[in-house]
Amino acid sequence: MATTVRRAVLNLPAAPPGPENPLPPLRAPGPPPVAVDAQRSDLPRDMARQLGHRPPRTVLPVRLLDGYGRERTPTALDAVVIENDLLRVTVLPGLGGRVHALRHKPTGRELLHRNPVLQPAAFALNGAWFSGGIEWNIGATGHTTLSCAPLHAAVVPAPDGGTMLRLWEWERLRDLPFQVDLWLPDDSEFLHVGVRVRNPHDHPVPVYWWSNTAVPETPGTRVLVPADTAWHFGYERGLTRVPVPRPGDGADATYPLRGEHPADYFYELSDGGRRWIAALDEDGRGLVQTSTDLLRGRKLFRWGHGPGGRRWQEWLNGPDGGGYAEIQAGLARTQLEHVPLEPGAAFSWLESYGPLHADPAVVHGDDWAAAVAEADGLLARALPRATAEEAYAAWLPCADTEPGERLATGSGWGALEVRRGGHLLPGTPFPADTLGEQQVPWRELLEQGALPPAPAGPPGPTLVSPAWRDMLETAVADAHTEYHLGIAQWHADDRAQAVRSWERGLAARPAPRWPLLRCLAVAARESGRPERAAELYAEAYADLEARDSATGPGGAEETAAAHAALARETIEAHLDAGSHRTARALLAALPERLGALGRFRLLLVRCLVAEGDTAAAREVFDAGFEVADLHEGAEILDELWAAVSDEPLPHAYDFRMRPSG
């Protein structure tokens, strides 16, 4: 059959990502994953330069997605299927362009970990993320803020004269447009993926890219990669160089299930050699990924066989979803690095994904070099390096081809940025008809020099780049403008000026007052004044509650999301300030729909432990609760359990990702 690209529907049990959190994310997305001394003698020079290079201070202008739960219902998801005689590829343009499945038709094998559920968890930089398939991570260290966001999608002529699928969007953390082109030559067992990231600005921009592939994990799964050393990162937060395959503790770390705890291995591929990574099972069958040379990094992430890793697998995949490991490919050696992209320049490369069947005796033998050579030789025969380079060269002229039939629509932020900057981006149009409700105030600021009046409900998202900040500086200084200006100043690390802007906004006696009060509360908390933060939070929450009661119970979805988020932050602030009694009172006054949520049950346990009522805290544990947005690496459940019991941590609460102690 000739290659086809068609719309489809994928039915999965899914928990929806939920509404955006209307509270601007003023706090950092988390501490740096590891502090590395760039002067260490064992660091390559380019790695030393790029470690810690311009990490984002916040995830602004993106909003958090933290309002999901764990109740999954049958859901129809829009999908696009790319298919030839040998492969069937299922893509989810509405969920970050994730490749959900890659089926090898002659053998009937699924080459990826195909998650049987869609369950958001707090792994993305802005919250909601889900496991499985191939994801395209752009932005900053971590899973992209586009994990659960729609991308633009359309059909485009492929380099071989057939049809390919183009995905594209405007990545907002770094203000960069990017595209991902996927195609299957008619007689190919390899999916080709052309990627381009462009910098349309007049200044360098730090770029992060990792393509993460979830592969089925069995006791016999082994990861092969042409490397003899790797940089090991575990959740003890250290980065060390180790030999491959055995890092020194006796266990062969190329088998994901032979290690106890979750860990990353960033492999040192030799210069000049072909860049690839494969995951093969006990029969020598599995997936291989290769790329042109710009995509230099390769990584294995394992969950390990320990109880914490297994619990996370259940949490992400459902009880019958099976386990997975991740083989990844990136622009840098490690995910702690960001690579500068010069003004007007672009990064582009080709990736290819396909089946590999090697001799299991060699793959699982004691000779690491022989196992690598076996896979390398088979890849060379299945997809010669020269053939992949030719495919890349043939694709480059097609990258500028204007898309044809539109299959899916992403956000309107790219259209707004093109309108503001006059950017010419052949191949990735951001048409005016994609501008939506969230872009309307900013289009008015751009064209009229002023924001419209504040909405009755929560304010919309804030744009924070220097160009938009300059426009806010010169706009009419009403309370609505001061609110957004303060957020842009905070993002630029001009915190004192941000506080002044918010205070000026409050002096204008706005209605509502709670958005400005909440910003000032975060500022107080970040400056080490927990008591003042608690006072401001209490005032903000009281103002929001008063407006809720005036508009009737429940309110619009955004107001309900703001109520839940502000209640949580207010209670946390009182706990931090030692005001346990007030925190308990706030919890007791919550609507039942909120108080029953696991995130608030966890806060109740914290209150009870702080008050010394460990028996009551134990009762909450025994009754059972699930914190839907528990963060990767969070140890709060372990710590609280240790405060209420000497017994082993129950499996339901065991999400530990490092050795105890």
Side-chain angles (χ1 to χ4, degrees):
M1 63 180 290
T3 299
T4 59
V5 178
R6 58 183 171 84
R7 287 187 174 94
V9 174
L10 177 68
N11 293 292
L12 285 179
E20 289 182 341
N21 183 334
L23 308 186
L26 300 177
R27 305 182 76 185
V34 63
V36 179
D37 179 5
Q39 303 303 314
R40 279 172 44 178
S41 60
D42 62 334
L43 297 182
R45 289 186 179 180
D46 60 336
M47 182 177 172
R49 286 194 305 270
Q50 292 165 179
L51 282 169
H53 174 57
R54 292 181 59 185
R57 297 185 182 95
T58 70
V59 297
L60 288 165
V62 179
R63 284 175 154 185
L64 299 181
L65 274 176
D66 57 4
Y68 49 85
R70 292 190 54 78
E71 182 179 346
R72 299 186 286 268
T73 58
T75 304
L77 303 172
D78 290 335
V80 177
V81 173
I82 312 167
E83 187 170 11
N84 66 6
D85 277 330
L86 302 171
L87 288 177
R88 182 184 301 120
V89 186
T90 304
V91 183
L92 303 177
L95 292 164
R98 182 79 59 100
V99 177
H100 175 73
L102 181 61
R103 188 171 184 81
H104 185 234
K105 293 166 68 175
T107 61
R109 292 176 62 89
E110 175 54 56
L111 301 179
L112 305 176
H113 169 67
R114 183 182 182 277
N115 197 334
V117 302
L118 175 61
Q119 176 56 62
F123 281 55
L125 287 165
N126 64 327
W129 172 88
F130 62 102
S131 63
I134 307 171
E135 57 177 311
W136 319 109
N137 286 298
I138 181 173
T141 299
H143 293 280
T144 178
T145 61
L146 295 166
S147 293
C148 290
L151 304 190
H152 300 283
V155 293
V156 183
D160 61 355
T163 303
M164 67 181 174
L165 171 66
R166 173 162 300 161
L167 306 166
W168 74 99
E169 220 348 322
W170 194 280
E171 199 286 313
R172 301 177 65 213
L173 279 190
R174 301 304 195 181
D175 238 2
L176 296 176
F178 72 97
Q179 71 190 80
V180 179
D181 290 353
L182 304 98
W183 77 99
L184 284 172
D186 287 348
D187 58 350
S188 176
E189 287 193 311
F190 280 82
L191 169 68
H192 290 323
V193 182
V195 182
R196 179 168 62 171
V197 181
R198 287 186 275 194
N199 178 7
H201 306 296
D202 59 2
H203 55 271
V205 178
V207 175
Y208 173 95
W209 183 283
W210 282 80
S211 303
N212 291 8
T213 304
V215 292
E217 170 203 72
T218 69
T221 299
R222 191 179 202 190
V223 172
L224 299 178
V225 60
D228 295 317
T229 61
W231 297 92
H232 168 260
F233 173 65
Y235 285 79
E236 301 88 346
R237 301 173 64 79
L239 187 69
T240 55
R241 192 166 186 164
V242 297
V244 176
R246 287 181 167 80
D249 59 1
D252 187 331
T254 61
Y255 289 89
L257 278 174
R258 293 191 184 177
E260 183 177 0
H261 300 287
D264 298 328
Y265 290 92
F266 299 102
Y267 296 105
E268 277 281 10
L269 276 62
S270 60
D271 291 334
R274 190 173 188 182
R275 305 196 185 282
W276 60 268
I277 188 168
L280 306 180
D281 65 14
E282 53 271 13
D283 297 322
R285 295 179 181 270
L287 175 82
V288 63
Q289 185 271 2
T290 187
S291 73
T292 48
D293 289 351
L294 184 68
L295 204 66
R296 66 169 303 162
R298 292 298 185 277
K299 171 191 163 183
L300 161 66
F301 169 73
R302 72 168 192 224
W303 282 108
H305 64 74
R310 306 330 294 168
R311 182 70 179 110
W312 274 117
Q313 296 262 31
E314 293 175 5
W315 189 256
L316 297 169
N317 306 323
D320 303 316
Y324 73 94
E326 288 184 359
I327 55 174
Q328 307 180 12
L331 279 174
R333 282 179 170 86
T334 73
Q335 290 172 339
L336 311 178
E337 302 169 63
H338 298 88
V339 183
L341 179 59
E342 295 304 312
F347 288 143
S348 63
W349 63 89
L350 179 82
E351 302 181 43
S352 300
Y353 298 80
L356 200 68
H357 184 193
D359 182 346
V362 179
V363 167
H364 300 290
D366 292 332
D367 190 335
W368 171 249
V372 170
E374 166 80 358
D376 189 67
L378 289 168
L379 173 61
R381 289 194 288 277
L383 182 67
R385 188 175 187 179
T387 301
E389 294 285 354
E390 290 164 4
Y392 172 61
W395 167 73
L396 276 175
C398 300
D400 283 348
T401 303
E402 291 304 309
E405 179 191 0
R406 188 186 297 181
L407 300 177
T409 302
S411 78
W413 296 113
L416 185 68
E417 290 300 333
V418 167
R419 196 178 193 92
R420 181 199 61 76
H423 306 303
L424 298 176
L425 300 167
T428 55
F430 294 95
D433 65 5
T434 61
L435 290 165
E437 182 180 349
Q438 288 190 334
Q439 290 82 46
V440 167
W442 301 96
R443 180 176 176 178
E444 192 164 325
L445 175 64
L446 179 65
E447 296 175 351
Q448 307 296 328
L451 287 171
T462 303
L463 296 180
V464 296
S465 69
W468 292 105
R469 189 171 72 246
D470 289 346
M471 281 185 263
L472 289 168
E473 292 275 8
T474 57
V476 177
D478 59 13
H480 189 211
T481 301
E482 295 286 11
Y483 165 80
H484 287 294
L485 174 58
I487 294 170
Q489 291 165 333
W490 182 272
H491 177 263
D493 208 28
D494 190 353
R495 296 191 168 190
Q497 190 58 54
V499 168
R500 284 192 283 272
S501 294
W502 294 326
E503 289 175 340
R504 284 197 302 268
L506 271 182
R509 299 184 178 277
R513 300 171 64 244
W514 68 263
L516 289 155
L517 287 165
R518 183 264 176 179
C519 288
L520 289 168
V522 174
R525 193 174 181 185
E526 291 289 284
S527 64
R529 295 181 294 152
E531 293 83 4
R532 179 57 178 155
E535 292 171 1
L536 288 164
Y537 265 118
E539 195 176 347
Y541 189 58
D543 183 66
L544 177 58
E545 281 204 305
R547 295 186 63 80
D548 271 356
S549 61
T551 58
E557 183 180 58
E558 271 213 331
T559 300
H563 192 164
L566 188 56
R568 186 180 193 179
E569 289 189 13
T570 302
I571 294 165
E572 289 173 342
H574 281 86
L575 280 169
D576 290 346
S579 304
H580 310 137
R581 182 173 297 178
T582 304
R584 280 286 304 277
L586 288 166
L587 277 166
L590 286 175
E592 185 178 352
R593 63 179 176 83
L594 291 185
L597 295 176
R599 62 201 66 174
F600 289 104
R601 302 299 287 169
L602 177 63
L603 288 173
L604 175 59
V605 173
R606 286 184 58 189
C607 286
L608 293 168
V609 168
E611 293 172 358
D613 193 350
T614 56
R618 172 65 187 262
E619 288 178 4
V620 179
F621 269 114
D622 291 344
F625 61 92
E626 290 185 327
V627 185
D629 61 338
L630 189 71
H631 285 272
E632 178 184 10
E635 298 179 344
I636 183 67
L637 292 173
D638 183 27
E639 293 167 358
L640 290 172
W641 178 260
V644 304
S645 176
D646 294 329
E647 300 170 20
L649 182 65
H651 175 72
Y653 301 116
D654 191 349
F655 295 91
R656 292 172 293 186
M657 299 183 72
R658 61 175 181 165
S660 299

